Amino acid sequence: MGKMTKLILMLLLLFFLSSHAVASERYGYGLGYGHGYIGTSSEKFVTGIVNAATGFVELPKNIVLTTHKDTVVHGMTIGLVSGVMHTVARTVIGVFDVATFFIPTPPSIQPPFVWQDFSVETSY
């Protein structure tokens, strides 16, 4: 390898490691896996797998939330449609997080898991 190629690779490595350390401090998932690149990447991988596997729980969650907020009729109609949309979104984002776990980013979904804050609607 040429000197220029080595220099570029070293600068890229330094950039990625420093930016990921800052991202993990600011936007940590809070699961207790640790800080830094490896900790944040592993948290993103785990939450991605869990969200892809449990996205279907958004359906009953949204039906219940809408029923409590409005009426049973709204829960069975608007809550059902909202639940389907949130199910697809959580599952797709989970798959995307698994595919891009090597780029540690802040959580795309709040709450990070469907069972956390079950009485709060999911936001993205």
Side-chain angles (χ1 to χ4, degrees):
M1 261 195 269
K3 289 182 181 181
M4 189 61 137
T5 306
K6 286 181 183 178
L7 177 64
I8 290 172
L9 288 175
M10 291 298 288
L11 288 174
L12 283 174
L13 180 66
L14 179 64
F15 170 75
F16 282 121
L17 291 178
S18 64
S19 65
H20 294 312
V22 170
S24 68
E25 288 176 11
R26 284 192 195 158
Y27 306 110
Y29 289 86
L31 299 178
Y33 291 120
H35 299 288
Y37 177 77
I38 294 175
T40 308
S41 294
S42 62
E43 288 181 47
K44 184 175 180 181
F45 184 72
V46 169
T47 56
I49 289 174
V50 170
N51 283 327
T54 62
F56 68 93
V57 179
E58 286 284 351
L59 185 62
K61 174 183 174 180
N62 281 279
I63 291 173
V64 169
L65 287 175
T66 306
T67 301
H68 284 302
K69 188 171 61 173
D70 295 326
T71 64
V72 174
V73 174
H74 282 104
M76 298 308 284
T77 55
I78 296 170
L80 179 69
V81 171
S82 176
V84 168
M85 290 189 307
H86 283 294
T87 295
V88 170
R90 186 173 285 274
T91 304
V92 167
I93 289 173
V95 169
F96 183 75
D97 282 348
V98 169
T100 62
F101 77 93
F102 53 88
I103 306 169
T105 57
S108 304
I109 305 172
Q110 291 300 325
F113 298 110
V114 71
W115 60 81
Q116 290 177 328
D117 292 333
F118 204 77
S119 61
V120 176
E121 187 172 343
T122 304
S123 62
Y124 306 94

